[in-house]
Each structure stands twice: as C-alpha cells, then as structure tokens.
Amino acid sequence: MASKSIIELLEKKEALYTELLSIVNEESRTLSSIALESLWAYTEEKTRLSMEIEAIREELLLLASARLGLKTGTAPMHLRELPRLFAEHEPMISRSVESIIFLKGKIRKIAESSVSFVENYLETIEEIIQMLTSSSSKTKIYGMDRHLMEPGGSVFIQGEA
C-alpha cells in the first residue's frame, strides 16, 4: 500500500511538472512573439524624434536669446516664458506651449507605466524562479547515504530525492 502511495505521489508530481513545463513553454512562446524588431524600431524612431526635438529646442533658445539681446543660445528658459517674450504672437504661442506641456506629461505617464509593467513582470518571474529553486526549511530530503538531512540549497536545481 505504501508503494502505491509513493507511486501516486510521484505520478502527481510528474503531472505537475508536465503542467509547469507546458506553462513555461507557453510563456516562452509568448515572450518570443513580442516583436523585438518592432521594439527596436520604436527605439530608433524615438531617438530620431528626440534629436529633432532637441534641435528645435536649441533654435527656440537662439530666438529667445536674440529677443533678449543675449549671446546666442545662452538664455536658460522654460517654455512658459516664450509667450511673454513674443507678445505679438502670445495667443498662438500660449496654446502651443500648453499643448506641448500636456503631451510631455502624457508621454511621461505612458513611459512610467511601461517601465512599471516590465519591472513587475521581471519581479514576478524572479519570484517564480525563487520559489522553484529554493527549498523550505521544513523540507527534509534523503541524502546519498539514505539518511534524512537538511537540503543545502535548491532541491529543484541540484536534483531531487
């Protein structure tokens, strides 16, 4: 009767590992289905756009510096100061400045959300790996000499009894 119990436990354990393997394989397929090429393309496009935005920022600084009578590009300014400097176009400049500030806020929130998602996902994977590779202090295993002993590290990685 005891050997049937051991066999049942081993079969159950094997079934659980089979199920775990299936999930890990599915997870791997899902991860590899993420179009990394698309992510690289997004990165390249964001870099291109950022460089163009920086070039425009420098041009705006040149215009603002010239308006203030300063050496070219030396005026440290915030966008919100532009409408006051160019009063003849204040309504249009104010609308553009507020829109830019709003868009920058939305971009920041989405970027923070993406970073948070990736960090949470990696933490979850780390927890799963930790769970699989660590052993409970209550767990006893049989050593090679067939005596009960405390596990010395991962039962999952080092081999199981």
Side-chain angles (χ1 to χ4, degrees), residues 33-51:
S33 74
I34 295 173
L36 292 178
E37 298 82 27
S38 295
L39 291 177
W40 284 117
Y42 294 143
T43 299
E44 290 172 7
E45 191 65 12
K46 289 187 304 184
T47 300
R48 182 189 65 78
L49 292 169
S50 295
M51 289 178 4

Side-chain angles (χ1 to χ4, degrees), residues 53-79 81-82 85-86:
I53 289 168
E54 181 62 23
I56 290 172
R57 187 187 75 76
E58 290 174 12
E59 288 182 51
L60 288 169
L61 281 175
L62 288 173
L63 288 173
S65 293
R67 182 59 68 109
L68 291 169
L70 300 172
K71 292 180 183 176
T72 55
T74 59
M77 313 197 77
H78 189 277
L79 276 174
E81 297 176 42
L82 290 177
L85 274 178
F86 298 90

Side-chain angles (χ1 to χ4, degrees), residues 12 24 75 130 136:
K12 176 71 174 173
V24 170
Q130 180 67 29
S136 167

Side-chain angles (χ1 to χ4, degrees), residues 6-156:
I6 289 173
I7 291 171
E8 287 174 354
L9 291 172
L10 290 173
E11 286 175 347
K12 176 71 174 173
K13 189 170 188 172
E14 181 183 0
L16 291 171
Y17 272 113
T18 301
E19 187 176 350
L20 180 60
L21 175 62
S22 173
I23 290 170
V24 170
N25 278 330
E26 192 173 322
E27 177 185 48
S28 179
R29 279 191 302 276
T30 301
L31 286 173
S32 63
S33 74
I34 295 173
L36 292 178
E37 298 82 27
S38 295
L39 291 177
W40 284 117
Y42 294 143
T43 299
E44 290 172 7
E45 191 65 12
K46 289 187 304 184
T47 300
R48 182 189 65 78
L49 292 169
S50 295
M51 289 178 4
E52 287 184 35
I53 289 168
E54 181 62 23
I56 290 172
R57 187 187 75 76
E58 290 174 12
E59 288 182 51
L60 288 169
L61 281 175
L62 288 173
L63 288 173
S65 293
R67 182 59 68 109
L68 291 169
L70 300 172
K71 292 180 183 176
T72 55
T74 59
M77 313 197 77
H78 189 277
L79 276 174
R80 291 192 190 275
E81 297 176 42
L82 290 177
R84 178 181 50 81
L85 274 178
F86 298 90
E88 66 275 15
H89 302 292
E90 185 175 351
M92 187 64 154
I93 292 173
S94 292
R95 188 206 62 76
S96 289
V97 165
E98 293 305 318
S99 178
I100 289 168
I101 291 169
F102 175 76
L103 290 169
K104 285 172 67 174
K106 286 185 80 165
I107 290 167
R108 186 177 297 110
K109 282 184 181 182
I110 292 170
E112 288 170 355
S113 175
S114 294
V115 167
S116 177
F117 172 79
V118 170
E119 287 174 347
N120 287 337
Y121 185 76
L122 291 175
E123 285 175 12
T124 301
I125 290 174
E126 185 177 349
E127 288 171 5
I128 291 169
I129 291 171
Q130 180 67 29
M131 183 175 59
L132 291 174
T133 59
S134 67
S135 59
S136 167
S137 60
K138 297 176 187 174
T139 304
K140 303 261 189 219
I141 61 172
Y142 285 97
M144 294 296 249
D145 59 357
R146 298 188 185 125
H147 289 91
L148 274 177
M149 57 183 264
E150 295 289 330
S154 169
V155 173
F156 184 70

